[in-house]
């Protein structure tokens, strides 16, 4: 099938390349010329495992092209909207400028029978509004939310755990076309949920709100553990054995960040207020507050570990990305902790296997060091904030101990075995652990 993908960021670039990898002829369209030039050359403009491979093979096969010209969307059977919906400046609502511009730009090229498939995360009610703009062209809008995780984006796109398509009543042909798009997943028996626009939009925000709530729940337990001497990691293991609860996303630590969970729960709260249902999702404000408090807690632990004297102490910060397997630093808890320590007068040195370039652009005040050993050398305290394998599994307390000035570690992701580090002479501080 011929497909167009409008917006070639984390979502769109992966979607375009993944759709080409399952046999479709795809054009990716974006207003950012530098991004398009990189993608055309088969190079991923951000770090995402497996993306370069499918980009290169897609471009080489001739089935995957990239352009800044919206006219190139002409002739595609399905047009995916994959532009960003960031948090508005100065507010909590989602900024729909890019979605509106993408639809307006696409309208002149739509033909009767075309499908426009919305993938961007939008406030409930957006699809119905956009459908009214699209329908006069004879094209049909479907809402097809995306659930990919950064770091696993290729796998999640090609082999998702469910597909959701929101349509207007009686759109059977349209549903079949969407099944043809995702033919490999459909052939595998992937759950394919056909629903209305509002449900499809809500499935996406509800899923992210639930995940954020799960993380803040365990972080709230960490706060209680801190005043009772309990261990939140053991608590999470123990409740996680209950299959109704499950252990995944019960990792206590410095909390969630990134371009999705924080802004999605805020946008959901803002939308619920507009709909007169503020009280229904009022708990998400608490989820947000708990999450942000964990960053304060990490800073406090570091200050405490240095006996309150931070000025000119060398703090080795392991991690800058909002999570491992990504170079994304949007709302990164790691960089917030680093910046706050820098603000207190510490000599902060940050290392990360992928995110240093992005971090340096946004936080030029911090010192960056690509080598882990150099970051650790002479450190008065080590702070683990992004649990890359390099820092979590491969770094031994003995090796780290041979480089630092003081064997003091603050484990912001509860990734280390405290017994092992203490046995090697380290003073260990975790998040919600004794
Ligand atoms: C999230 C969702 O997981 C995806 O399903 C969704 O498609 C995506 O947002 C989106 O809306 O586009 P992502 O932002 O890539 O994906 O990151 P997650 O893997 O969800 O992690 C989010 C944050 O939570 C990270 O900062 C991570 O470190 C933190 N986290 C995760 C914890 O603090 N504890 C945990 O147990 C798990």
């Amino acid at each position: 099938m011929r497909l167009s993908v409008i917006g070639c960021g984390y979502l769109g670039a992966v979607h375009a390349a993944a759709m080409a990898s399952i046999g479709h002829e795809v054009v990716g369209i974006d207003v950012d010329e530098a991004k398009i030039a990189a993608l055309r050359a088969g190079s991923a403009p951000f770090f995402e495992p497996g993306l370069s491979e499918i980009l290169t093979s897609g471009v080489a096969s001739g089935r995957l092209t990239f352009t800044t010209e919206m006219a190139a969307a002409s002739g595609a059977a399905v047009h995916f909207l994959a532009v960003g919906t960031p948090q508005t400046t100065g507010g909590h609502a989602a900024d729909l400028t890019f979605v509106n511009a993408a639809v307006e730009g696409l309208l002149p090229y739509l033909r009767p029978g075309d499908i426009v498939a919305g993938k961007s995360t939008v406030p409930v009610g957006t699809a119905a509004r956009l459908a009214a703009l699209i329908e006069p062209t004879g094209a049909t809008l479907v809402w097809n939310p995306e659930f990919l995780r950064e770091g696993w984006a290729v796998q999640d796109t090609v082999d998702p755990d469910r597909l959701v398509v929101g349509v207007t009543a009686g759109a059977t042909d349209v549903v079949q076309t969407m099944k043809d798009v995702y033919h490999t997943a459909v052939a595998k028996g992937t759950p394919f949920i056909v629903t209305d626009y509002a449900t499809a939009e809500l499935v996406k925000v509800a899923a992210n709100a639930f995940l954020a709530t799960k993380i803040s729940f365990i972080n709230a337990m960490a706060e209680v553990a801190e005043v009772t001497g309990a261990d939140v990691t053991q608590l999470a293991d123990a409740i996680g054995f209950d299959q109704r609860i499950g252990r995944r996303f019960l990792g206590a630590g410095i909390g969630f960040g990134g371009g999705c969970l924080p802004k999605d729960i805020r946008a959901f709260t803002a939308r619920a207020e507009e709909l007169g249902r503020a009280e229904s999702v009022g708990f998400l404000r608490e989820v947000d507050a708990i999450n942000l408090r964990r960053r304060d807690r990490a800073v406090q632990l570091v200050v405490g570990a240095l006996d309150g004297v931070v000025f000119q102490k060398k703090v080795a910060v392991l991690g800058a990305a909002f999570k491992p397997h990504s170079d994304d630093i949007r709302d990164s808890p790691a960089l917030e902790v680093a910046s706050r320590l820098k603000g207190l007068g510490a000599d902060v040195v940050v290392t990360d296997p992928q995110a240093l370039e992005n971090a340096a652009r946004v936080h030029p005040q911090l010192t960056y060091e690509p080598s882990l050993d150099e970051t650790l050398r002479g450190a008065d305290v080590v702070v683990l904030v992004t649990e890359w394998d390099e820092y979590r599994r491969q770094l031994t307390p003995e090796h780290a101990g041979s480089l630092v000035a003081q064997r003091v570690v603050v484990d912001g992701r509860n990734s280390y075995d405290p017994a092992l580090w203490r046995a090697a002479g380290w003073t260990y501080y975790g998040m919600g652990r004794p």
Side-chain angles (χ1 to χ4, degrees):
M1 295 172 73
R2 283 186 70 183
L3 311 176
S4 79
V5 178
I6 297 138
C8 292
Y10 284 96
L11 166 58
V14 174
H15 193 69
M19 291 299 106
S21 81
I22 59 167
H24 298 301
E25 193 181 307
V26 187
V27 58
I29 304 170
D30 199 291
V31 291
D32 183 336
E33 286 181 13
K35 198 180 279 173
I36 289 298
L39 289 165
R40 256 190 203 145
S43 122
F46 48 84
F47 175 74
E48 183 61 48
L51 178 58
S52 298
E53 289 81 347
I54 58 168
L55 260 182
T56 314
S57 58
V59 170
S61 72
R63 282 201 310 276
L64 179 60
T65 53
F66 291 97
T67 177
T68 52
E69 299 297 327
M70 190 64 98
S74 290
V78 183
H79 309 271
F80 287 97
L81 301 176
V83 292
T85 52
Q87 191 175 329
T88 39
T89 327
H92 277 185
D95 180 351
L96 295 179
T97 311
F98 302 118
V99 172
N100 295 336
V103 170
E104 248 171 60
L106 182 61
L107 284 177
Y109 305 105
L110 292 176
R111 300 168 314 176
D114 282 8
I115 295 175
V116 179
K119 293 202 83 63
S120 308
T121 301
V122 292
V124 57
T126 305
R129 177 175 63 78
L130 296 178
L133 299 173
I134 289 167
E135 270 158 16
T137 67
T140 307
L141 178 72
V142 302
W143 212 261
N144 172 219
E146 180 56 56
F147 306 102
L148 66 79
R149 298 158 298 169
E150 288 179 26
W152 311 93
V154 174
Q155 183 194 316
D156 287 350
T157 306
V158 177
D159 190 11
D161 48 20
R162 79 288 210 188
L163 288 155
V164 175
V165 178
V167 295
T168 44
T172 15
D173 292 359
V174 171
V175 171
Q176 188 51 51
T177 308
M178 293 307 287
K179 286 188 174 169
D180 295 343
V181 169
Y182 296 111
H183 62 103
T184 49
V186 169
K188 269 189 69 178
T190 305
F192 193 99
I193 296 135
V194 179
T195 184
D196 53 84
Y197 287 155
T199 307
E201 292 167 314
L202 275 174
V203 167
K204 169 68 194 203
V205 283
N208 276 1
F210 191 87
L211 293 171
T213 304
K214 206 171 173 191
I215 298 168
S216 277
F217 175 83
I218 202 65
N219 278 328
M221 296 305 106
E223 292 185 333
V224 178
E226 274 152 13
V227 293
T228 53
D231 184 331
V232 75
T233 307
Q234 288 185 339
L235 183 146
D237 290 344
I239 62 171
F241 281 118
D242 183 333
Q243 285 183 12
R244 294 168 303 173
I245 296 173
R247 181 64 173 85
R248 294 176 75 189
F249 271 65
L250 286 183
I254 57 168
F256 60 81
C260 304
L261 299 193
K263 65 113 177 146
D264 286 354
I265 60 170
R266 290 171 197 154
F268 196 9
T269 311
R271 184 64 183 137
E273 274 165 18
E274 287 170 5
L275 294 166
R277 282 285 176 273
E279 67 277 23
S280 307
V281 294
F283 68 94
L284 290 176
R285 289 185 186 281
E286 208 52 54
V287 165
D288 202 359
I290 294 165
N291 190 53
L292 297 176
R293 281 206 297 271
R294 299 317 283 164
R295 303 177 185 189
D296 302 342
R297 172 68 183 168
V299 173
Q300 263 172 23
L301 280 175
V302 176
V303 173
L306 292 168
D307 294 325
V309 187
V310 181
F311 190 66
Q312 288 184 346
K313 291 286 170 59
K314 178 170 176 184
V315 181
V317 174
L318 312 190
F322 84 104
K323 68 171 189 180
H325 312 290
S326 173
D327 64 356
D328 194 346
I329 55 140
R330 286 176 293 173
D331 200 356
S332 168
L335 282 176
E336 188 175 334
V337 169
S339 301
R340 305 243 310 256
L341 291 166
K342 172 78 185 177
L344 294 173
D347 288 340
V348 176
V349 180
V350 181
T351 191
D352 190 286
Q354 294 294 339
L356 292 189
E357 221 178 284
N358 286 342
R361 235 189 336 265
V362 181
H363 296 277
Q365 81 281 13
L366 296 170
T367 304
Y368 298 100
E369 169 54 61
S371 149
L372 173 59
D373 281 6
E374 288 316 310
T375 304
L376 292 169
R377 200 179 301 283
D380 294 295
V381 57
V382 177
V383 191
L384 175 72
V385 276
T386 313
E387 69 279 32
W388 287 95
D389 271 351
E390 285 87 333
Y391 313 146
R392 190 175 60 143
R393 293 184 201 279
Q394 292 157 26
L395 180 66
T396 64
E398 291 75 21
H399 179 70
S402 71
L403 296 165
V404 296
Q406 294 194 75
R407 296 186 179 205
V408 181
V409 62
V410 174
D411 180 1
R413 293 291 182 181
N414 289 346
S415 289
Y416 294 138
D417 176 352
L420 214 66
W421 283 71
R422 286 181 179 133
W426 286 76
T427 305
Y428 173 93
Y429 299 90
M431 305 283 297
R433 307 172 99 177

